[in-house]
């Protein structure tokens, strides 16, 4: 393995990331509007986010990228935006690491 691909398909990862965002936004709106099942919707969003977090942290540890500590810390500081940024920047970070030979 060239350390280029995720263990899980990229479409599945995007599904989890977008699902966590959507369920969290809808769950927050549901809480504001006092819907009956708002807690269930928020819980589903949290489960999607935790699955995304586990996948991302595992990939960060396995990948040959720089600043692994920064990315792991960033996952906890900005929780819902960091997976999107990591997925979009991952290929470029691996390419840069190969070019500089570290």
């Amino acid at each position: 393995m060239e350390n280029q691909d995720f263990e899980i398909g990229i479409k599945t990862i995007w599904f989890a990331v977008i699902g966590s965002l959507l369920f969290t936004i809808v769950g927050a709106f549901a809480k504001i509007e006092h819907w009956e099942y708002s807690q269930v919707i928020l819980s589903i969003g949290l489960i999607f986010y935790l699955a995304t977090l586990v996948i991302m942290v595992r990939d960060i540890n396995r990948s040959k990228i720089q600043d692994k500590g920064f990315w792991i810390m960033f996952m906890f500081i900005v929780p819902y935006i960091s997976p999107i940024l990591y997925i979009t920047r991952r290929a470029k970070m691996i390419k840069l690491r190969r070019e500089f030979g570290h």
Side-chain angles (χ1 to χ4, degrees), residues 18-38:
I18 293 170
S20 70
L21 278 171
L22 289 177
F23 276 107
T24 303
I25 291 170
V26 171
F29 178 74
K31 273 290 204 195
I32 292 170
E33 294 294 322
H34 302 290
W35 292 359
E36 187 174 347
Y37 297 107
S38 62

Side-chain angles (χ1 to χ4, degrees), residues 64-100:
K64 294 182 178 181
I65 61 170
Q66 291 180 322
D67 302 326
K68 290 181 181 190
F70 164 77
W71 281 104
I72 291 174
M73 203 169 54
F74 193 58
M75 291 284 173
F76 291 101
I77 294 173
V78 188
Y80 288 98
I81 296 173
S82 56
I84 295 170
L85 292 175
Y86 179 73
I87 293 171
T88 57
R89 302 282 304 160
R90 182 179 181 275
K92 187 171 184 174
M93 289 187 296
I94 291 173
K95 182 181 173 187
L96 286 173
R97 179 75 181 221
R98 284 189 192 144
E99 287 178 5
F100 292 117

Side-chain angles (χ1 to χ4, degrees), residues 43-55:
S43 297
I44 292 171
L46 179 64
I47 290 169
F48 271 114
Y49 174 70
L50 291 175
T52 303
L53 183 69
V54 168
I55 292 167

